[in-house]
Amino acid sequence: MSSAWKVAYADFVTALMAFFLLMWILNMTPPETKQGLASYFSEQALLDTSNASAISNNALINRTDKLDLSEAKMSELERSHYLIAKKLQTVLMQDGVPQNASGLSADDVGVQLRISNDALFKPGSTEFSPLALKVLDEVLGILKEYNLYLVIRGHADSEEAAGSSFPSGWELSAARAAAAAHYLTSKGISPTRLRAVGYGDSRPLEPGNSPESRQSNRRLEFHFHRPDAMSYSIVY
């Protein structure tokens, strides 16, 4: 007599047990955590906000605005993400970075700061503006205070390298990300905690080639994340 049905039956029972385990976990999960997970997996939550006064669309970050951190039932990861986002928010507001030139976002891996190249660099170059040095010093302070790693992503619009000494936006964006990383290492941050990546115009925030779209797309991103997430594709 064939025993093939026993294998199929065992697979069915295993799947059924897994289903009931999942239902039990979902039933035990607090509503705010479910909301945070839903925000993370939604397409909109993965996008930066152009409003410098907002921290993130992620409910795991937003819900802490009304809580006392000493009493809130937050994980250490959530707490650190919240505090870092608040620090970065203060930087943007104090330094007067235009709202349409900056943004903050968060996910379960880390927190990201985005600032337009127009505010950080002289046109077509890697020369820092006074504002860039202030921002980099704040980034430096966060890296010294928290055990975090940082990915610096350089982006250029489709025409930004024109008239510069760089043959294309790829080289320009990579050189700007590398310049930011070099500044941080010169101040004592270990190179093993940093990654610098240049994307040129391959990852635009806004579609099209209008002046407004190009302004949004030329940017530098600082993504702070846990050390164990260095190998995740999401951090690059």
Side-chain angles (χ1 to χ4, degrees):
M1 182 177 179
S2 174
S3 60
W5 68 271
K6 296 181 181 179
V7 176
Y9 179 73
D11 290 342
F12 171 75
V13 172
T14 301
L16 193 62
M17 291 177 62
F19 173 76
F20 283 119
L21 179 60
L22 175 62
M23 292 299 100
W24 178 79
I25 292 174
L26 290 176
N27 185 60
M28 298 295 292
T29 303
E32 60 269 19
T33 302
K34 293 179 183 177
Q35 185 181 1
L37 290 172
S39 300
Y40 169 66
F41 283 105
S42 69
E43 180 178 358
Q44 183 62 34
L46 298 177
L47 301 178
D48 286 332
T49 174
S50 61
N51 186 350
S53 64
I55 296 179
S56 170
N57 290 329
N58 193 308
L60 293 176
I61 301 297
N62 276 333
R63 68 185 175 89
T64 61
D65 279 336
K66 301 179 179 62
L67 296 177
D68 180 353
L69 287 179
S70 63
E71 298 177 358
K73 295 181 179 179
M74 301 167 59
S75 70
E76 288 302 314
L77 178 62
E78 292 174 7
R79 186 186 299 272
S80 64
H81 284 186
Y82 170 80
L83 293 175
I84 293 166
K86 292 294 285 186
K87 286 178 180 290
L88 294 173
Q89 179 190 35
T90 301
V91 171
L92 295 178
M93 296 179 68
Q94 287 181 344
D95 291 334
V97 181
Q99 291 188 4
N100 63 352
S102 62
L104 289 171
S105 62
D107 53 38
D108 65 342
V109 175
V111 178
Q112 177 174 280
L113 167 67
R114 169 181 58 82
I115 301 183
S116 170
N117 290 340
D118 296 346
L120 298 178
F121 301 97
K122 292 189 175 182
S125 77
T126 60
E127 185 176 349
F128 295 125
S129 68
L131 174 61
L133 295 177
K134 291 182 180 180
V135 171
L136 287 170
D137 285 338
E138 293 294 339
V139 170
L140 177 67
I142 290 174
L143 291 175
K144 288 184 175 181
E145 183 175 355
Y146 295 94
N147 181 29
L148 294 171
Y149 281 37
L150 176 67
V151 175
I152 306 171
R153 306 186 186 111
H155 300 268
D157 71 23
S158 58
E159 301 178 5
E160 198 170 1
S164 73
S165 60
F166 295 91
S168 73
W170 287 98
E171 289 84 0
L172 177 59
S173 63
R176 284 173 167 172
H182 177 72
Y183 180 87
L184 296 172
T185 57
S186 72
K187 300 294 183 177
I189 300 301
S190 171
T192 61
R193 297 175 63 191
L194 303 175
R195 296 291 185 273
V197 188
Y199 288 110
D201 62 351
S202 66
R203 293 192 177 186
L205 279 179
E206 300 291 341
N209 200 35
S210 67
E212 294 77 14
S213 295
R214 292 201 304 270
Q215 183 182 38
S216 297
N217 295 333
R218 52 180 182 260
R219 66 201 189 274
L220 202 66
E221 296 171 345
F222 300 89
H223 188 251
F224 302 88
H225 63 87
R226 309 186 312 267
D228 63 304
M230 180 58 79
S231 60
Y232 292 10
S233 61
I234 192 172
V235 304
Y236 291 101

